[in-house]
């Protein structure tokens, strides 16, 4: 499969090149040249397929012949070595729990898939590639865990000092091996700025092959299609159209759901639920896309002022706002509303949501409020509540025990290099 740049000023590339480069030379995101819908019989008979078979059907055209079928199947089996439970918390309202992977956030799926693809591409050569990534919390942990020990891949994670949770910091600073962490004096925006600079710095790119592991990378973005199909497999027998509400920051997850819909997965409507960083809700209201400076919230993985994958959504809907609005609604919620929802869900359903999942729940309820038809609603629970322990324990008066995945890292010693300036990053890379 070939990929083109959404800035249309760079040559088309193979899947391999799109994964290795991350972003096109004209700074555009890569997008697949074709999307071939799957046969209707596949969706009609989805209950007869295993999780791994479903994933293979969805992803194989996007990989093409660049990874042999048997290897791709191994990569998928390795990637999906945990469960994706669907928990009904109210009649026809379910939480899709995406947090059972090694770092307890949904980003594990994409990070594990991408790491295994890169390792495969590096298998028969001695090329070294450096994955450079800025994180506000969850990306760093998922990338660290997903890429640990990957052949020929060095990982360098930049995170803002004092601005990630204790659990998140341990996840990205304690693994050692090919994973290194830089603790940056500054904000997430400063980290991201340094990473962007490095990608543009010829002194660095002449010497080192850099790639990104954010959802702009197609190998991290596309596997997120899988769990929308796993959900359909579990809910098909109910014969009620599905509404998905996705807590959204960079809009990679929801955009993957839209790709699954393009393949024929019967999703009736998407809700993009955001915190007060409401660029997309504003866009759907006014038709004007205006990036804003990001504001800090309790659902901090969604503190994004200029969602990078939104351009892919526009491409799927051919830049037609009216068509897009038929498939997408978007609402924004304050921290106060989010906390209130977390408490309400706990009291009424005895279910603990993290702040991101609670925003998803709110978006779903708001959309359903105005519908006369009978739907089933699914909100994505994108992180385990333990990852946002301070918030969760202060809103709901409970103690959450560390799951096994967290116990493994929480008492390990942090190893990170403290930096303040871009030049320090550059020296680190070139040393
Ligand atoms: C990354 C993240 C999100 C946002 O996902 P996008 O694909 O960037 O929209 C939501 N919730 C959690 C917990 C995350 O880590």
């Amino acid at each position: 499969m070939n990929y083109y740049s959404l800035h249309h000023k760079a040559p088309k590339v193979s899947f391999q090149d799109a994964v290795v480069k991350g972003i096109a030379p004209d700074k555009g995101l890569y997008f697949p040249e074709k999307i071939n819908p799957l046969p209707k019989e596949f969706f009609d008979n989805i209950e007869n397929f295993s999780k791994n078979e479903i994933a293979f059907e969805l992803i194989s055209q996007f990989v093409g012949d660049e990874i042999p079928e048997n290897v791709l199947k191994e990569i998928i089996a390795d990637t999906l070595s945990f469960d994706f439970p669907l928990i009904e918390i109210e009649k026809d309202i379910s939480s899709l729990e995406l947090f059972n992977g090694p770092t307890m956030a949904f980003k594990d799926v994409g990070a594990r898939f991408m790491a295994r693809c890169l390792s495969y591409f590096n298998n028969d050569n001695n090329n070294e590639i450096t994955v450079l990534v800025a994180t506000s919390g969850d990306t760093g942990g998922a990338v660290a865990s997903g890429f640990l020990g990957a052949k020929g891949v060095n990982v360098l994670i930049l995170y803002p000092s004092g601005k990630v949770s204790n659990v998140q910091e341990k996840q990205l600073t304690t693994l050692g091996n090919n994973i290194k962490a830089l603790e940056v004096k500054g904000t997430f925006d400063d980290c991201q700025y340094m990473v962007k600079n490095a990608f543009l710095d010829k002194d660095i790119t002449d010497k080192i092959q850099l790639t990104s592991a954010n959802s702009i990378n197609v190998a991290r973005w596309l596997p997120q299609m899988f769990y929308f199909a796993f959900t359909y497999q579990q809910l098909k027998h109910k014969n009620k159209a599905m509404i998905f509400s996705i807590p959204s920051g960079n809009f990679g997850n929801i955009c993957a759901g839209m790709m699954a819909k393009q393949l024929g997965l019967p999703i009736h409507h998407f809700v993009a639920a955001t915190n007060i960083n409401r660029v997309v809700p504003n866009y759907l209201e006014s038709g004007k896309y205006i990036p804003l400076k990001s504001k800090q919230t309790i659902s901090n993985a969604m503190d994004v002022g200029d969602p990078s994958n939104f351009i892919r959504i526009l491409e799927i809907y051919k830049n037609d706002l009216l068509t897009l609005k038929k498939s997408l609604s978007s609402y924004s919620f304050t921290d106060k509303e989010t906390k209130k929802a977390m408490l309400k869900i706990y009291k009424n359903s005895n279910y603990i949501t993290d702040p991101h999942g609670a925003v998803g729940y709110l978006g779903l309820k708001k959309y359903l409020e105005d519908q006369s038809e009978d739907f089933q609603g699914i909100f994505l629970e994108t992180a385990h509540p333990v990852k946002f322990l301070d918030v969760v324990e202060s809103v709901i008066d409970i103690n959450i025990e560390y799951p096994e995945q967290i116990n493994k890292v929480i008492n390990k010693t942090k190893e990170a290099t403290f930096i303040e300036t871009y030049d320090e990053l550059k020296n680190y890379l070139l040393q």
Side-chain angles (χ1 to χ4, degrees):
M1 168 71 74
N2 282 331
Y3 289 79
Y4 59 93
S5 162
L6 289 177
H7 286 178
H8 303 285
K9 291 194 183 76
K12 283 179 190 162
V13 296
S14 61
F15 173 71
Q16 173 167 353
D17 280 347
V19 176
V20 170
K21 293 194 167 76
I23 192 160
D26 64 358
K27 303 295 155 212
L29 268 61
Y30 282 119
F31 197 84
E33 198 173 34
K34 271 203 227 106
I35 304 171
N36 298 314
L38 299 174
K40 188 170 171 299
E41 299 83 69
F42 166 65
F43 295 106
D44 287 349
N45 294 299
I46 199 163
E47 59 272 32
N48 301 326
F49 288 77
S50 70
K51 212 167 63 176
N52 294 353
E53 287 165 345
I54 292 172
F56 181 79
E57 291 296 317
L58 293 173
I59 200 90
S60 64
Q61 65 174 292
F62 298 107
V63 176
D65 56 7
E66 295 172 53
I67 299 179
E69 192 173 313
N70 62 319
V71 177
L72 182 58
K73 285 181 173 164
E74 274 169 34
I75 291 176
I76 288 171
D78 249 22
T79 300
L80 299 176
S81 58
F82 47 89
D83 292 330
F84 303 85
L86 192 65
I87 313 287
E88 190 173 53
I89 64 163
E90 292 169 22
K91 184 170 182 304
D92 291 331
I93 302 279
S94 302
S95 166
L96 176 63
E97 296 184 343
L98 300 177
F99 55 63
N100 288 302
T103 73
M104 315 211 86
F106 79 92
K107 292 184 173 77
D108 281 328
V109 174
R112 289 163 71 80
F113 185 83
M114 180 185 161
R116 283 157 182 78
C117 289
L118 265 189
S119 292
Y120 172 76
F121 293 138
N122 269 352
N123 223 0
D124 53 1
N125 61 42
N126 290 316
N127 292 350
E128 291 255 313
I129 183 162
T130 297
V131 171
L132 187 62
V133 67
T135 184
S136 59
D138 280 339
T139 300
V143 168
S145 156
F147 284 78
L148 182 64
K151 181 177 177 282
V153 185
N154 302 305
V155 175
L156 191 58
I157 299 165
L158 281 74
Y159 73 98
S161 180
K163 294 193 175 62
V164 302
S165 76
N166 181 35
V167 169
Q168 288 173 328
E169 183 169 47
K170 286 292 167 80
Q171 286 180 329
L172 54 94
T173 58
T174 60
L175 296 184
N177 202 331
N178 60 328
I179 313 293
K180 303 279 185 294
L182 293 180
E183 179 177 1
V184 177
K185 184 180 174 198
T187 62
F188 170 63
D189 288 339
D190 296 324
C191 297
Q192 196 146 35
Y193 176 78
M194 286 191 189
V195 167
K196 282 189 178 153
N197 258 351
F199 276 93
L200 297 173
D201 190 332
K202 262 184 81 66
D203 296 346
I204 296 173
T205 54
D206 282 350
K207 292 210 177 70
I208 302 173
Q209 172 71 56
L210 290 181
T211 193
S212 68
N214 299 91
S215 51
I216 55 172
N217 196 299
V218 295
R220 233 207 77 189
W221 166 51
L222 289 169
Q224 300 175 144
M225 293 186 295
F226 300 162
Y227 34 73
F228 293 89
F230 299 162
T231 305
Y232 181 56
Q233 185 186 40
Q234 294 179 66
L235 292 179
K236 181 170 161 259
H237 69 276
K238 288 197 173 180
N239 280 320
K240 280 186 198 171
M242 298 190 295
I243 314 288
F244 276 97
S245 176
I246 298 102
S248 296
N250 259 324
F251 282 67
N253 212 3
I254 192 167
C255 186
M258 290 171 167
M259 290 294 282
K261 181 170 170 160
Q262 296 297 304
L263 294 180
L265 185 69
I267 298 175
H268 182 78
H269 199 75
F270 292 96
V271 179
T274 73
N275 56 32
I276 53 167
N277 293 285
R278 47 169 304 143
V279 175
V280 173
N282 287 350
Y283 170 74
L284 291 186
E285 264 168 35
S286 70
K288 294 196 189 82
Y289 184 89
I290 305 168
L292 298 167
K293 209 169 150 19
S294 68
K295 297 189 199 97
Q296 207 175 334
T297 72
I298 55 168
S299 48
N300 61 22
M302 310 197 293
D303 295 352
V304 180
D306 186 7
S308 42
N309 283 287
F310 197 67
I311 186 162
R312 284 185 170 138
I313 293 182
L314 293 176
E315 186 75 3
I316 293 173
Y317 290 95
K318 308 205 163 48
N319 285 295
D320 181 23
L321 183 59
L322 284 180
T323 323
L324 175 61
K325 278 170 118 169
K326 281 188 197 137
S327 287
L328 175 70
S329 303
S330 188
Y331 311 111
S332 136
F333 301 95
T334 63
D335 280 356
K336 201 172 157 198
E337 291 168 312
T338 306
K339 288 180 181 172
K340 214 173 133 194
M342 289 166 69
L343 200 56
K344 181 191 131 187
I345 298 167
Y346 182 66
K347 283 202 173 135
N348 294 350
S349 308
N350 197 24
Y351 186 78
I352 303 169
T353 47
D354 94 294
H356 304 78
V359 170
Y361 171 89
L362 283 169
L364 184 60
K365 292 296 258 193
K366 182 153 176 120
Y367 175 78
L368 291 175
E369 224 171 66
D370 298 331
Q371 306 303 315
S372 46
E373 241 178 281
D374 212 7
F375 290 116
Q376 50 193 333
I378 303 102
F379 66 95
L380 273 48
E381 183 38 300
T382 45
H384 191 287
V386 78
K387 294 205 77 172
F388 300 92
L389 201 60
D390 293 356
V391 181
V392 175
E393 289 191 340
S394 73
V395 174
I396 306 170
D397 190 19
I398 40 154
N399 285 316
I400 302 179
E401 280 186 24
Y402 285 146
E404 179 200 331
Q405 290 100 312
I406 306 296
N407 269 329
K408 269 193 201 154
V409 295
I410 204 73
N411 293 318
K412 287 200 187 160
T413 313
K414 158 181 162 184
E415 276 181 49
T417 306
F418 192 84
I419 65 165
E420 295 189 32
T421 63
Y422 174 70
D423 282 340
E424 284 173 277
L425 168 64
K426 185 164 173 173
N427 291 337
Y428 189 95
L429 278 166
L430 293 175
Q431 89 201 347

